[in-house]
Amino acid sequence: MLKVGVDSTKFPHAPGKEAVRLLERAAALGLDGVFFRSVLELSGRLDPAELRDAAQAAQALGLRVEAGVGKVNPFANPESPAIRALGDGDYLFGLRRMITAAADAGIRELWTATANYQFRLNGLYACDRFRTDVSWPRQLAAIERFLGKVAPVARDAGVHLDIETHEEITTFELVRIVEAVGADVLGITFDTANVLVRCEDPVRAMRRAAPYVRATHVRDAALAFTDEGIGRFLLPVGQGVIDWPALLAPLAGRDVMLSIEGITDSRAEMSLHVDDERWLRGHPDLTAAEALEVVRLTRAYEARAAAGSAPDLRRLRAPVTPDEPLEFIRESARRLRELVAALPPSPTESEART
């Protein structure tokens, strides 16, 4: 059965809060679990007693806990010095320590991702996919080799490393990585809004990734034409362009948590540079049908905005109000529960009822 949880880093006032207190606040909102972006949020020292206390608190509250263990791109790993410190200078050893500590605490679904988004940069180069010092194909090859080194540790620990559909990578590429390294140790964290940044139709993207989806980051998206191409902005579930019944259908009956990843001080505008030849060349798997569907979704959203039934570009770029982050989570949770309740039963559930 699908569960509805929340991302710790986007929970209002969450940074610096004790993990147990955050779990209590999630339970008070009627949520089913918390995804902690890093297992270090549960214990900065990976102390077994602290991790056990957090796991026991979650169990007492009836909450599921998922956690992250850092990035798996050797070209991006230097940007995570805390993990290297855990390994006494060895990033891979630090990652292994995190995996083992999480598994010992009973946390089996472990988030990871392949790169970062450089908000301090503008344009194409904000995305690591378009670095000019190392090509994206070379990064993908290095990621696969690195995961091959991590796989035995994950296998021994009985966990899955669930790679996010982050802003820089496509579902086509993620599926190839999972199948190359092994679905017994790798899965996919499906981010519903990030796939749009790579010009993927969320419904088609989910269908591609669904066999390997073990975790999610859930939020809706607005699309608008901008000077850069197409801008993607975050909205609560049900208020943007995503066809939620179609997107969730492949997950019906699955033991997957829908982790609401909200907003903080902005609606996280990211650009699809669809008029830039470099951007187009950088998407060899993109089909005309999928690109045209994203354009159609953009036009449909702009029509809603022009009619006054959705926020226009000016409002999307305006500062987030103080109460908006919490309301984003509340509204998304409310709508997700409605959507999950309306999903047709999976074949397994149907058989069990007859």
Side-chain angles (χ1 to χ4, degrees):
M1 179 67 175
L2 293 173
K3 299 173 176 62
V4 178
V6 69
D7 180 335
S8 67
T9 59
K10 304 297 173 64
F11 203 110
H13 313 299
K17 290 285 186 182
E18 182 185 357
V20 173
R21 173 60 179 144
L22 198 155
L23 289 165
E24 291 170 346
R25 291 180 63 204
L29 285 176
L31 297 168
D32 301 321
V34 176
F35 158 67
F36 291 91
R37 187 60 60 109
S38 173
V39 69
L40 298 178
E41 293 180 53
L42 302 172
S43 173
R45 303 170 296 158
L46 297 181
D47 179 81
E50 291 179 350
L51 290 168
R52 185 171 57 251
D53 288 347
Q56 289 176 348
Q59 186 175 23
L61 292 165
L63 298 181
R64 178 175 181 147
V65 171
E66 297 174 354
V69 291
K71 305 293 175 69
V72 288
N73 181 345
F75 292 100
N77 292 348
E79 297 174 29
S80 302
I83 298 177
R84 187 167 62 187
L86 283 173
D88 296 324
D90 185 328
Y91 184 94
L92 179 58
F93 185 65
L95 192 67
R96 287 171 172 169
R97 283 194 62 200
M98 295 175 76
I99 292 169
T100 302
D104 289 346
I107 305 171
R108 303 292 173 180
E109 300 300 336
L110 303 178
W111 169 89
T112 186
T114 57
N116 298 302
Y117 192 87
Q118 312 297 342
F119 281 102
R120 290 170 293 182
L121 299 178
N122 294 317
L124 204 64
Y125 302 133
C127 181
D128 282 357
R129 186 182 188 91
F130 298 102
R131 287 175 63 164
T132 57
D133 56 342
V134 54
S135 70
W136 183 240
R138 187 179 170 197
Q139 290 182 66
L140 288 173
I143 289 163
E144 188 174 315
R145 287 194 300 271
F146 186 82
L147 285 167
K149 295 177 181 179
V150 179
V153 180
R155 195 170 284 116
D156 289 345
V159 304
H160 278 84
L161 299 178
D162 301 326
I163 315 169
E164 183 184 349
T165 57
H166 208 244
E167 296 90 358
E168 70 283 342
I169 194 164
T170 69
T171 55
F172 298 97
E173 293 158 347
L174 275 181
V175 167
R176 288 195 285 264
I177 289 172
V178 171
E179 292 178 346
V181 177
D184 61 324
V185 291
L186 297 186
I188 290 175
T189 298
F190 191 91
D191 188 304
T192 58
N194 280 349
V195 291
L196 282 161
V197 180
R198 297 274 61 84
C199 207
E200 295 186 71
D201 167 27
V203 173
R204 288 182 174 92
M206 173 60 84
R207 289 172 183 161
R208 279 191 290 274
Y212 308 116
V213 170
R214 304 183 65 89
T216 68
H217 292 168
V218 178
R219 54 266 186 88
D220 215 328
L223 296 173
F225 293 110
T226 69
D227 291 342
E228 290 75 36
I230 296 174
R232 184 227 64 178
F233 302 82
L234 302 180
L235 290 176
V237 171
Q239 297 183 18
V241 302
I242 294 176
D243 180 347
W244 288 97
L247 183 139
L248 292 175
L251 301 182
R254 301 259 295 269
D255 183 23
V256 173
M257 185 160 75
L258 305 173
S259 296
I260 301 163
E261 183 178 351
I263 55 175
T264 52
D265 57 350
S266 78
R267 295 171 191 84
E269 178 179 2
M270 292 186 182
S271 295
L272 290 69
H273 299 274
V274 292
D275 298 323
D276 190 316
E277 181 60 33
R278 296 167 300 173
W279 189 93
L280 294 170
R281 287 198 307 269
H283 295 81
D285 293 306
L286 181 61
T287 65
E290 202 143 353
L292 288 170
E293 174 62 9
V294 172
V295 170
R296 185 192 71 79
L297 291 173
T298 306
R299 287 176 175 158
Y301 183 85
E302 288 209 324
R304 288 175 52 204
S309 61
D312 61 12
L313 185 59
R314 181 187 61 80
R315 288 172 60 196
L316 292 168
R317 286 176 167 169
V320 170
T321 60
D323 60 343
E324 201 171 340
L326 184 57
E327 185 56 31
F328 188 112
I329 294 170
R330 289 183 189 276
E331 176 58 24
S332 293
R334 183 196 67 76
R335 185 66 183 121
L336 282 172
R337 293 201 183 283
E338 292 177 348
L339 289 160
V340 170
L343 284 174
S346 65
T348 304
E349 289 179 319
S350 298
E351 292 166 5
R353 292 176 186 175
T354 58

